[in-house]
Amino acid sequence: MSQQHLTVDICVMGAGAAGLSVAAGAAQLGLSVVLFEEGEMGGDCLNTGCVPSKALIAAAKTAHSMQHASRFGIENTKAVLDWNKLRGHIDGVIETIAPIDSQERFEGLGCTVFREHAVFIDPRTVQSPSAIVTAQKFVIATGATAFVPPIPGLSETPFLTNETVFAQETQPKSLIVLGGGVIGVELGQAFARLGTQVTVVEAMTIMGPQEPEAVEVVRASLKADGVTVQEGVKA
């Protein structure tokens, strides 16, 4: 297959939230833009991060509100979860937003999109299977992957990350969440509100860099939702 040779103003590596923002803004300002993405358009935020997690949290909040409606003079109702319908809800939210991050939209804005991996062959040029692109500026927005801590025995144990937890075919009966940062806490609370038995294990304190007063509010909320919080504990 012959390679296209392109010279552009900006080459963006990665079509996640950051890369797409740069590509859209640059294209609308009249700059020539090439965008590379070897995975899913929208990256982590759309497919495995912000969007599915907030869809899950919205469902969990609804269940929590049903079970604590009496303070508004409404009889409490036990929420009965249909996991497959919840997964359908999450998938539906992703599908609703996906056109905004789609290849078609960005090509419509004037970007040239390659759904391939590209590598630098000199300081001003990248190469992929179908293109050689020279650019005045490069934006590296390739994102990150979940860090798996070197815990003895973990590699032999089936585990989930924030990238795979939404793809489960059945609701987990129990979860141990290693890490009490923002992602660990929000996922732990959401699953607990949906009926999963959750333990959050944090080597220091949950929500570490946040204001202590705010952390105490979160800690109390987690415990009220039945989450076991273990701080100062290493797995």
Side-chain angles (χ1 to χ4, degrees):
M1 181 174 63
S2 61
Q3 291 177 308
Q4 298 183 54
H5 290 251
L6 301 173
T7 299
V8 296
D9 296 312
I10 295 179
C11 178
V12 180
M13 314 282 280
L20 293 181
S21 296
V22 172
Q28 291 175 83
L29 288 171
L31 300 178
S32 54
V33 179
V34 164
L35 175 63
F36 283 99
E37 174 55 62
E38 65 175 331
E40 296 290 335
M41 294 289 290
D44 170 83
C45 186
L46 174 63
N47 299 289
T48 60
C50 321
V51 173
S53 69
K54 300 312 174 284
L56 178 75
I57 289 169
K61 182 178 180 180
T62 300
H64 181 266
S65 296
M66 291 172 61
Q67 295 165 12
H68 296 81
S70 60
R71 59 179 175 163
F72 300 110
I74 303 169
E75 184 177 351
N76 290 343
T77 303
K78 179 176 175 56
V80 179
L81 176 63
D82 184 320
W83 183 257
N84 287 331
K85 288 184 178 179
L86 173 57
R87 289 185 63 196
H89 159 69
I90 293 172
D91 291 342
V93 173
I94 294 172
E95 290 171 4
T96 298
I97 298 174
I100 299 173
D101 292 350
S102 68
Q103 179 175 343
E104 292 76 14
R105 174 173 179 254
F106 278 80
E107 289 176 338
L109 291 173
C111 299
T112 300
V113 181
F114 293 101
R115 302 295 294 278
E116 300 172 337
H117 180 76
V119 297
F120 279 91
I121 57 175
D122 68 46
R124 291 289 183 187
T125 308
V126 295
Q127 178 176 308
S128 74
S130 60
I132 296 176
V133 178
T134 300
Q136 291 296 313
K137 299 290 183 181
F138 288 87
V139 176
I140 310 300
T142 50
T145 57
F147 171 71
V148 179
I151 298 173
L154 182 59
S155 60
E156 290 79 42
T157 302
F159 64 86
L160 306 173
T161 70
N162 62 301
E163 297 174 347
T164 61
V165 69
F166 304 107
Q168 301 310 296
E169 294 185 359
T170 58
Q171 180 185 7
K173 293 182 178 179
S174 62
L175 278 177
I176 295 176
V177 180
L178 299 181
V182 174
I183 295 175
V185 165
E186 72 173 9
L187 288 179
Q189 184 176 50
F191 274 97
R193 287 182 167 185
L194 293 170
T196 297
Q197 182 180 348
V198 177
T199 299
V200 175
V201 178
E202 169 55 48
M204 300 179 71
T205 59
I206 62 168
M207 309 285 287
Q210 307 303 322
E211 291 291 335
E213 294 84 356
V215 172
E216 186 53 43
V217 172
V218 173
R219 185 182 290 114
S221 180
L222 289 171
K223 292 181 178 179
D225 287 329
V227 178
T228 300
V229 179
Q230 296 189 357
E231 299 175 90
V233 176
K234 291 186 178 181

